Amino acid sequence: MLPDKPADWPRFFEQHLNAGDLDAVMALYEPEARFVTKSGETLVCRDRIRKVLAAMMEAKARLHSRVVKAVTVGDIAQLYTDFEGTMNDDSGKTVAIRHKAFEVLRCHPDGTWRLIVGDPNGRE
């Protein structure tokens, strides 16, 4: 199941990530999607993004999202999304996490939206 409105994308991401369904999370990304890491490195393609998201799931990340703003022009949308939650650090201790993300999505002919660029720390 994929979002049919761009502002629903973070909710789908949150639900699938929190459920530990990596395949469903990855279905939300375009094959050649870009993901900007905290260090500023841009990861290209779903295979590299999958590793990052799998690590989040292994760390038992639990997120809640709130779309602050959505701007849509034709088949492209930019979202400003706040994510808050918890995950386990390397020692196993639960720590709070917060991200002020921006995401760029593209609408497909079937009316569903997939991420083409994600930067979880793009507004920090």
Side-chain angles (χ1 to χ4, degrees):
M1 188 170 204
L2 296 167
D4 60 4
K5 292 184 275 195
D8 288 343
W9 190 92
R11 182 175 50 83
F12 278 72
F13 175 84
E14 165 193 327
Q15 288 174 346
H16 297 316
L17 183 86
N18 291 347
D21 190 342
L22 186 55
D23 290 335
V25 171
M26 294 313 304
L28 297 170
Y29 288 77
E30 294 231 348
E32 294 301 317
R34 306 306 196 250
F35 181 91
V36 181
T37 67
K38 190 163 183 95
S39 69
E41 178 186 6
T42 300
L43 304 180
V44 179
C45 86
R46 287 194 298 197
D47 290 339
R48 294 192 65 204
I49 296 168
R50 184 180 187 92
K51 291 177 185 175
V52 171
L53 297 174
M56 287 181 68
M57 288 181 182
E58 289 172 18
K60 302 198 182 328
R62 297 293 178 262
L63 296 176
H64 175 72
S65 63
R66 181 175 70 86
V67 175
V68 177
K69 184 177 183 179
V71 180
T72 304
V73 178
D75 66 347
I76 301 293
Q78 181 166 325
L79 303 180
Y80 301 83
T81 308
D82 291 345
F83 288 96
E84 292 187 356
T86 60
M87 67 186 296
N88 294 340
D89 66 11
D90 292 338
S91 70
K93 180 181 173 187
T94 301
V95 295
I97 53 175
R98 289 181 178 80
H99 299 285
K100 291 189 169 289
F102 76 77
E103 298 107 358
V104 180
L105 296 93
R106 180 181 2 241
C107 187
H108 286 252
D110 65 359
T112 61
W113 292 82
R114 291 184 187 86
L115 186 127
I116 53 177
V117 178
D119 187 346
N121 303 295
R123 298 175 21 248
E124 294 183 357

